[in-house]
Amino acid sequence: MQALAIDVGGTKLAAAVVSDSGRILGRHQVPTPRSDDAATVFGAVCQAADGALAAAGIEVGGDDDVRAATVSGPPERLGLPESLRSVGGGGTLAGIGVATAGPLDARAGTVSPVNIAAWRDFPLRDRLAQRYTLPVRMFGDAVAVTVAEHWLGAARGLGNVLGMVVSTGVGGGLILGGRVVPGAGGNAGHIGHVSIDPAGPLCACGGVGCLEAVASGTSIARWAAEHTSDRKVPLRTATAVAEAARAGDEIALAAMRRAAEAIGMAVAGAVTLLDLDKVVIGGGVAHAFDLLAQPMDAAYRRYAALGYAARPRISAAELGGDAGILGAAAVVLRPDDYWPRNV
Amino acid sequence: MQALAIDVGGTKLAAAVVSDSGRILGRHQVPTPRSDDAATVFGAVCQAADGALAAAGIEVGGDDDVRAATVSGPPERLGLPESLRSVGGGGTLAGIGVATAGPLDARAGTVSPVNIAAWRDFPLRDRLAQRYTLPVRMFGDAVAVTVAEHWLGAARGLGNVLGMVVSTGVGGGLILGGRVVPGAGGNAGHIGHVSIDPAGPLCACGGVGCLEAVASGTSIARWAAEHTSDRKVPLRTATAVAEAARAGDEIALAAMRRAAEAIGMAVAGAVTLLDLDKVVIGGGVAHAFDLLAQPMDAAYRRYAALGYAARPRISAAELGGDAGILGAAAVVLRPDDYWPRNV
């Protein structure tokens, strides 16, 4: 069994065909178009998907494995793309998994990614189902990273896990008792908007002291810029801040420490509340795990003191840029664990 | 089907026979002995249990319903108490549910309640199983209150619920997707030891800024006492503080407001992280819900701003003092929902 996995982000659109052991059989990615036209962006998604199918040896002609699994009419009538008429390697495409930047409405199947202005309530799920005549499961990219790390990465075999994506924003996903927890409306895992400080900065969401307002890449860079004046190379991004910190810059070090302490405190609260086995941190900021780990664990110890929670248990994600597509594949290939019934 | 439910607390030991519709068929309670002798305290538990069985019409002699369900030898050889030889009303005792003050070791079946000094790692589960030859399920009292409120109280019919007990300490329990969430070691729900303020007071657990260190009855009374000097009636308990607040005392009002704001912030974080339908607050401090509700909801709004989480959703518990025994009964009578497999 195989899945077509799609990762929709503000920078790139990635797709892959993934086997049920998590092997990537073919992949393709394209830059996310800077366009105001919804159809242009959808066309780019299809270009990535078609490229991945082709790279996996799923080509024009051949047998009807794919079609047989999901449809009963002839492919041309159903609008099946040429590329879906056969599956290389004898596998069967079970469906399409989509990990997408949010917000999304899981029930309606629509997406409105902050960084894809052309899509507001865009019916991505149904458009993909229509084009590929395959069932489509769509969910948030931070949950996808959590799922992927649980399936194949740093949280393999564990029952109770919080996955976090710390990059432009701070997102997350939860696995409890070995299964994805969706919450009432599919939004569980949003640790970026848990407040960690009643005297903290105002957050873009309207809240006060949210983790994201302190620890996101954007927030790290903003804080560093606010605390420096004359400097040849400005600290415009979290990557620049991390580089400066490694070079010994005091302000940059303080900016990284401040973010790490906020993450440590938020994670301490989540582990205390949920009795977690592990917390896995991915996303761009996790590339600075070397700078974050020590102050993060120190803060964790300060705020989690009860016996079962006292030991720090924060790991860097292992799957890097592939986590999104692997998580997207997992909801198709392992629905019992990763596709909660009420979403 | 019926359950023998036992609620072990530092002040009283309560027991009841509960029907599968949640009706209390008989009850009895005794004060928790102020004794250093473990056997004396256990004897008092049995006295409460025997009294409840007798009150439910489960008396000496009669048919063997109870015994037949669980044992095969004659009752005298198995050490069955006289009282268990028949069940009134034709029901069958399915087992014993025990809600206990913590800490407890759910796997070992032992308890070490802070306020019952005679019991340190006391094997309560096995001692009860031995005396009554019935299966015993034992868990924390705050989880029991959560379960009871979900089964019969303020959270009836909801999928995703945090129950809190705000009294001497602050405990809690979690139901997600309609089922109790135990976490890795059965400790999920401990919201009292989630830190809500990096500049907050040191907590008895060793942490900093824990909700319990601000909002427990003990913390409310301590803060009020620290902020008053000459006063005829000292504010020694949270009840006294609440009464003084109702009479318009400024310090007492401030003490209640401070606790309410801390609860509102912690609950905002939990709803944001877990996408909860409702949070139910029980325990002694909940008797002051009239004083807490407005500042609690205001704080909630300040710290939960994302769409799905923005509406305050905090209710007072409905079951009062019976919540412990009803929750204890529920784990016997409705194990699929309330008795997680890995505890």
Side-chain angles (χ1 to χ4, degrees):
Chain A
M1 206 164 68
Q2 303 166 356
L4 172 59
I6 302 175
D7 185 4
V8 174
T11 310
K12 65 181 170 65
L13 304 166
V17 175
V18 180
S19 79
D20 53 12
S21 65
R23 213 152 54 82
I24 291 175
L25 306 175
R27 64 161 88 216
H28 191 60
Q29 78 175 50
V30 300
T32 308
R34 302 274 138 224
S35 165
D36 287 341
D37 178 40
T40 301
V41 180
F42 183 67
V45 169
C46 296
Q47 195 188 328
D50 292 348
L53 290 164
I58 300 178
E59 299 183 67
V60 183
D63 70 65
D64 277 356
D65 275 356
V66 175
R67 204 169 53 76
T70 52
V71 296
S72 54
E76 55 279 13
R77 274 218 225 127
L78 287 155
L80 270 180
E82 296 283 295
S83 59
L84 264 177
R85 295 193 191 165
S86 82
V87 174
T92 304
L93 266 190
I96 302 177
V98 183
T100 176
L104 74 158
D105 182 329
R107 284 168 211 204
T110 58
V111 296
S112 313
V114 173
N115 296 316
I116 304 180
W119 280 359
R120 288 298 171 265
D121 296 319
F122 182 76
L124 180 58
R125 184 188 62 200
D126 293 349
R127 293 295 300 276
L128 285 168
Q130 202 173 10
R131 184 171 196 278
Y132 293 98
T133 47
L134 283 168
V136 179
R137 292 178 173 158
M138 190 171 82
F139 63 133
D141 49 7
V143 177
V145 169
T146 306
V147 162
E149 292 290 335
H150 185 259
W151 183 27
L152 300 163
R156 242 180 355 267
L158 298 175
N160 303 276
V161 175
L162 168 68
M164 292 173 66
V165 176
V166 186
S167 62
T168 316
V170 176
L174 276 169
I175 289 175
L176 300 177
R179 294 179 175 209
V180 165
V181 166
N187 294 294
H190 260 97
I191 193 166
H193 295 283
V194 171
S195 177
I196 48 154
D197 187 354
L202 195 68
C203 182
C205 77
V208 172
C210 293
L211 174 61
E212 179 167 303
V214 178
S216 70
T218 321
S219 303
I220 291 172
R222 188 192 311 120
W223 189 90
E226 283 169 8
H227 288 77
T228 47
S229 44
D230 49 324
R231 170 189 303 277
K232 280 181 199 154
V233 184
L235 302 178
R236 284 221 184 92
T237 66
T239 307
V241 176
E243 274 169 23
R246 285 198 192 90
D249 183 289
E250 293 287 344
I251 296 296
L253 279 165
M256 295 305 291
R257 201 182 311 120
R258 177 171 174 270
E261 288 171 353
I263 296 170
M265 179 178 170
V267 166
V271 171
T272 300
L273 182 61
L274 298 170
D275 195 359
L276 300 171
D277 294 296
K278 200 176 224 187
V279 176
V280 177
I281 300 185
V285 173
H287 293 146
F289 210 83
D290 55 322
L291 295 164
L292 299 170
Q294 194 278 328
M296 201 159 58
D297 282 358
Y300 181 99
R301 283 196 185 87
R302 184 171 159 85
Y303 299 108
L306 282 193
Y308 67 92
R311 177 184 51 81
R313 57 200 74 181
I314 312 172
S315 300
E318 291 178 359
L319 303 174
D322 283 343
I325 48 174
L326 291 172
V331 302
V332 172
L333 299 167
R334 304 194 150 212
D336 288 348
D337 293 339
Y338 300 133
W339 190 249
R341 285 158 301 171
N342 64 335
V343 172
Chain B
M1 205 162 71
Q2 302 166 356
L4 173 58
I6 301 176
D7 185 4
V8 174
T11 310
K12 65 180 170 62
L13 305 166
V17 176
V18 180
S19 78
D20 53 12
S21 65
R23 215 153 52 84
I24 292 177
L25 306 174
R27 64 161 89 215
H28 191 61
Q29 80 175 47
V30 300
T32 308
R34 303 274 138 222
S35 164
D36 286 342
D37 179 39
T40 300
V41 179
F42 183 68
V45 169
C46 296
Q47 195 188 327
D50 291 350
L53 291 163
I58 300 178
E59 297 184 68
V60 182
D63 71 65
D64 275 354
D65 275 355
V66 175
R67 204 169 54 75
T70 52
V71 297
S72 54
E76 57 277 15
R77 277 218 221 124
L78 287 157
L80 269 181
E82 296 283 297
S83 61
L84 264 178
R85 293 191 192 167
S86 83
V87 173
T92 304
L93 267 190
I96 301 176
V98 182
T100 176
L104 75 157
D105 182 329
R107 283 167 213 206
T110 58
V111 296
S112 313
V114 174
N115 296 315
I116 304 180
W119 280 359
R120 286 298 171 265
D121 296 321
F122 182 76
L124 180 58
R125 184 187 62 200
D126 292 350
R127 294 294 300 278
L128 284 169
Q130 204 173 8
R131 184 169 196 279
Y132 293 97
T133 46
L134 284 168
V136 178
R137 291 178 173 158
M138 191 170 80
F139 65 132
D141 48 7
V143 178
V145 168
T146 306
V147 162
E149 292 291 335
H150 186 259
W151 184 26
L152 301 164
R156 245 181 351 269
L158 298 175
N160 303 277
V161 175
L162 168 67
M164 293 174 65
V165 176
V166 186
S167 62
T168 316
V170 176
L174 275 170
I175 290 176
L176 300 177
R179 293 178 177 211
V180 165
V181 166
N187 295 294
H190 259 98
I191 194 167
H193 295 283
V194 171
S195 177
I196 49 154
D197 188 355
L202 196 69
C203 182
C205 77
V208 172
C210 294
L211 174 62
E212 179 167 304
V214 178
S216 70
T218 320
S219 303
I220 291 172
R222 188 192 311 120
W223 189 91
E226 283 169 9
H227 288 76
T228 47
S229 44
D230 50 324
R231 172 188 303 276
K232 279 180 199 153
V233 184
L235 302 177
R236 283 218 184 96
T237 65
T239 307
V241 176
E243 275 169 22
R246 284 198 194 92
D249 185 289
E250 293 286 344
I251 296 297
L253 279 164
M256 295 304 293
R257 200 183 310 120
R258 178 171 174 268
E261 287 171 355
I263 295 170
M265 179 178 170
V267 166
V271 172
T272 299
L273 182 61
L274 299 169
D275 195 0
L276 300 171
D277 294 295
K278 198 177 226 186
V279 177
V280 178
I281 301 186
V285 172
H287 293 146
F289 210 82
D290 55 322
L291 295 164
L292 299 170
Q294 194 278 329
M296 202 159 59
D297 281 358
Y300 181 98
R301 284 197 185 87
R302 184 171 159 86
Y303 299 109
L306 281 193
Y308 69 91
R311 176 184 51 81
R313 56 200 75 183
I314 313 172
S315 301
E318 291 179 358
L319 303 173
D322 284 343
I325 47 173
L326 290 172
V331 301
V332 173
L333 299 169
R334 304 195 149 209
D336 287 349
D337 294 337
Y338 300 133
W339 190 248
R341 284 158 302 171
N342 64 336
V343 172

